[in-house]
Amino acid sequence: MSVTVLIPTPLQKFTGDRAKIDCDAGSITELIDALEGSCPGIKARLCDEQGKPRRFLNFYVNSEDIRFLQNTETPLNDGDEVSIVPAVAGG
């Protein structure tokens, strides 16, 4: 299933400066692996040593936070848009 991934600026050095990438994946886990296959080194920036998304990154599928869906097992459908958004903190 082809999904569009929106890549934040700090990670675009791994994507050849592309802000959008099309990937074939059926879940967020598969998407992360597909991104690593086409953009070597990006998975280490997206996931911790246990393979879980890093705390400071949020993944959204069609504007829905995966933490409130099925997390990394959230299913993806053809035409979905996945946004990777760095968390913002401060005061």
Side-chain angles (χ1 to χ4, degrees):
M1 292 173 217
S2 183
V3 298
T4 300
V5 185
L6 305 178
I7 307 293
T9 303
L11 294 177
Q12 290 177 15
K13 63 184 173 185
F14 296 98
T15 65
D17 295 322
R18 293 177 291 168
K20 288 184 181 181
I21 295 181
D22 291 323
C23 288
D24 290 328
S27 70
I28 296 297
T29 299
E30 290 178 16
L31 177 79
I32 292 169
D33 290 338
L35 284 171
E36 178 65 18
S38 62
C39 308
I42 198 167
K43 185 174 182 176
R45 301 303 189 272
L46 298 175
C47 299
D48 62 19
E49 294 75 25
Q50 288 78 37
K52 304 289 184 197
R54 293 194 179 274
R55 292 181 321 144
F56 57 84
L57 287 176
N58 297 311
F59 287 78
Y60 294 87
V61 176
N62 301 324
S63 301
E64 293 288 328
D65 191 331
I66 67 166
R67 292 176 295 176
F68 301 108
L69 299 171
Q70 295 174 38
N71 214 340
T72 56
E73 295 309 311
T74 298
L76 299 174
N77 298 303
D78 196 38
D80 280 348
E81 184 175 82
V82 176
S83 301
I84 302 171
V85 181
V88 179

